[in-house]
C-alpha cells in the first residue's frame, strides 16, 4: 500500500516532513560525518562503494540510486556499479575494497553465532587499512547508518534531492 503523500499539484513526496525543520542539528551532524570521512585516508570511491552496498543491503532504492549516481559522477564504470551487489565473485574490486565491502556487510547482517565482525575479517581489513583509515572506514559505515532510518522510514523518491520532496 502506497503511503507517500502528494502535493496539491499531484507530485509524490517523502512520507516525512523535512527533518531539518524539526531537528536542525542534523545538518551539523551530516556535515561533520562527511568531514570525518573526507580525510583522504580511505579513497572516496571506497566509501561510496560501502554506502552503495549498505543501501542495497537494507533494500532502499533511494540510497542505492543516490550512491550509484554519486559514484557514476565520480567516474565509476557501469560494470563496477552493477557488480557491487555480487562483489564477492566480481573481478572489478581491489582486495582493500573487498575488505571494506565485507565490513559493511558484517555490520548490517546478523550472524548465527552473534559475532558480526570476526577476528579474521578484522585482520583482513587491518591488512589493507592503517589505524586512521580503519577508523575512517568505520565512521563511513556509521555515516550511512545515520541516514538509513530517514531513507527507510521517510521513503524519499529516488533521483530527487530530499528538499524537492519533503511533505
Amino acid at each position: 500500500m502506497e503511503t507517500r503523500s502528494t502535493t496539491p499539484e499531484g507530485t509524490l513526496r517523502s512520507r516525512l516532513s523535512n527533518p531539518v525543520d524539526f531537528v536542525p542539528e542534523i545538518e551539523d551532524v551530516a556535515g561533520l560525518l562527511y568531514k570525518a570521512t573526507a580525510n583522504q585516508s580511505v579513497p572516496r570511491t571506497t566509501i561510496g562503494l560501502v554506502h552503495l552496498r549498505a543501501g542495497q543491503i537494507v533494500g532502499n532504492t533511494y540510497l542505492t540510486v543516490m550512491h550509484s549516481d554519486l559514484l557514476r559522477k565520480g567516474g565509476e564504470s557501469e560494470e563496477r556499479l552493477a557488480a557491487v551487489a555480487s562483489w564477492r565473485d566480481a573481478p572489478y574490486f581491489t582486495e582493500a575494497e573487498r575488505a571494506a565491502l565485507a565490513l559493511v556487510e558484517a555490520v548490517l547482517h546478523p550472524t548465527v553465532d552473534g559475532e558480526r565482525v570476526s577476528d579474521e575479517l578484522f585482520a583482513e581489513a587491518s591488512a589493507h587499512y592503517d589505524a586512521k583509515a580503519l577508523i575512517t572506514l568505520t565512521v563511513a559505515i556509521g555515516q550511512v547508518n545515520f541516514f538509513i532510518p530517514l531513507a527507510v522510514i521517510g521513503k524519499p523518491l529516488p533521483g530527487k534531492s530530499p528538499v524537492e520532496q519533503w511533505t
Side-chain angles (χ1 to χ4, degrees):
M1 175 166 146
E2 182 60 57
T3 56
R4 290 187 180 133
S5 65
T6 57
T7 65
E9 301 83 32
T11 307
L12 280 175
R13 299 283 187 178
S14 170
R15 292 193 295 198
L16 288 178
S17 297
N18 186 346
V20 174
D21 290 345
F22 299 95
V23 185
E25 297 83 2
I26 290 172
E27 283 186 319
D28 297 334
V29 171
L32 289 170
L33 285 169
Y34 183 82
K35 183 178 178 182
T37 61
N39 63 30
Q40 300 180 359
S41 65
V42 176
R44 198 79 219 150
T45 297
T46 302
I47 291 171
L49 293 170
V50 164
H51 289 175
L52 171 56
R53 186 67 188 121
Q56 292 171 338
I57 290 167
V58 299
N60 186 267
T61 303
Y62 176 77
L63 290 173
T64 301
V65 169
M66 178 179 68
H67 291 296
S68 292
D69 286 348
L70 290 170
L71 285 161
R72 192 176 287 112
K73 288 175 185 170
E76 283 304 308
S77 70
E78 291 303 316
E79 290 82 10
R80 276 175 49 96
L81 293 176
V84 169
S86 58
W87 64 268
R88 289 183 189 277
D89 68 353
Y92 307 114
F93 304 102
T94 68
E95 291 304 312
E97 289 169 336
R98 290 176 186 285
L101 290 166
L103 275 178
V104 72
E105 284 190 2
V107 169
L108 290 175
H109 284 296
T111 60
V112 176
D113 66 3
E115 181 180 29
R116 292 182 186 229
V117 178
S118 67
D119 290 341
E120 293 79 17
L121 176 53
F122 183 79
E124 177 67 19
S126 296
H128 298 287
Y129 298 101
D130 65 19
K132 181 177 181 177
L134 196 54
I135 295 288
T136 300
L137 186 56
T138 302
V139 171
I141 294 169
Q143 178 184 24
V144 72
N145 280 297
F146 176 79
F147 291 104
I148 285 173
L150 290 172
V152 171
I153 295 167
K155 290 180 84 170
L157 300 171
K160 292 191 180 250
S161 73
V163 175
E164 295 176 274
Q165 59 185 309
W166 298 119
T167 60

